[in-house]
Amino acid sequence: MRWSEEEYQDYLRKLGRPSSTPAASVVDDDTEKDFLTKVRGFAKLYGWLTYHTHDSRRSDEGFPDLVLCNGLSLIFAELKTRTGKLSKSQDTWITTLGHTQKVEVYLWRPADLPAIIERLGKH
């Protein structure tokens, strides 16, 4: 199910974000939080369900930042800033998931935003 523009604007208001289409501009110095907000916004706009653990201090280490599902595809994505580095446990998760059939696994950085939007727009 895709969100209508009105539903998406309502979602942005609930997040405390200005009502507008998600910024598609590549900002290499986006914080990880800002980048996550952009990716989740585009995912919801294109009908994806998203999951992100907001406080991972009591969770197992290394699990990817974002899980996306649209009923046809399942994506695990680790989000990093332009210079962010994977921890050993993050690398283990990404590598292991990457060898699993029927799922897509990505390490996404702000410069990847155009490709992310293109991928999320495909069904």
Side-chain angles (χ1 to χ4, degrees), residues 99-112:
H99 289 289
T100 304
Q101 295 180 10
K102 307 253 182 198
V103 299
E104 298 173 49
V105 182
Y106 298 98
L107 170 58
W108 283 337
R109 298 183 186 275
D112 299 320

Side-chain angles (χ1 to χ4, degrees), residues 79-121:
L79 306 180
K80 291 291 181 191
T81 61
R82 181 177 55 84
T83 59
K85 302 208 182 311
L86 289 175
S87 70
K88 183 178 178 184
S89 56
Q90 288 171 328
D91 184 59
T92 299
W93 267 104
I94 293 296
T95 300
T96 302
L97 287 168
H99 289 289
T100 304
Q101 295 180 10
K102 307 253 182 198
V103 299
E104 298 173 49
V105 182
Y106 298 98
L107 170 58
W108 283 337
R109 298 183 186 275
D112 299 320
L113 192 57
I116 294 167
I117 294 167
E118 182 179 335
R119 171 58 193 97
L120 296 177

Side-chain angles (χ1 to χ4, degrees), residues 8-101:
Y8 177 69
Q9 296 304 327
D10 186 51
Y11 167 74
L12 288 177
R13 280 189 290 281
K14 287 178 184 174
L15 286 177
R17 304 276 187 225
S19 294
S20 65
T21 302
S25 61
V26 174
V27 180
D28 242 7
D29 60 350
D30 266 355
T31 65
E32 198 169 302
K33 182 179 177 181
D34 291 339
F35 182 40
L36 173 66
T37 299
K38 286 180 183 180
V39 173
R40 290 186 85 183
F42 279 107
K44 290 192 183 287
L45 186 64
Y46 288 117
W48 293 77
L49 294 175
T50 67
Y51 174 78
H52 169 71
T53 301
H54 291 281
D55 185 353
S56 61
R57 289 178 290 185
R58 297 182 73 189
S59 299
D60 291 340
E61 292 181 11
F63 193 78
D65 291 314
L66 195 56
V67 179
L68 304 100
C69 184
N70 70 357
L72 300 173
S73 298
L74 179 63
I75 293 176
F76 292 90
E78 180 64 35
L79 306 180
K80 291 291 181 191
T81 61
R82 181 177 55 84
T83 59
K85 302 208 182 311
L86 289 175
S87 70
K88 183 178 178 184
S89 56
Q90 288 171 328
D91 184 59
T92 299
W93 267 104
I94 293 296
T95 300
T96 302
L97 287 168
H99 289 289
T100 304
Q101 295 180 10

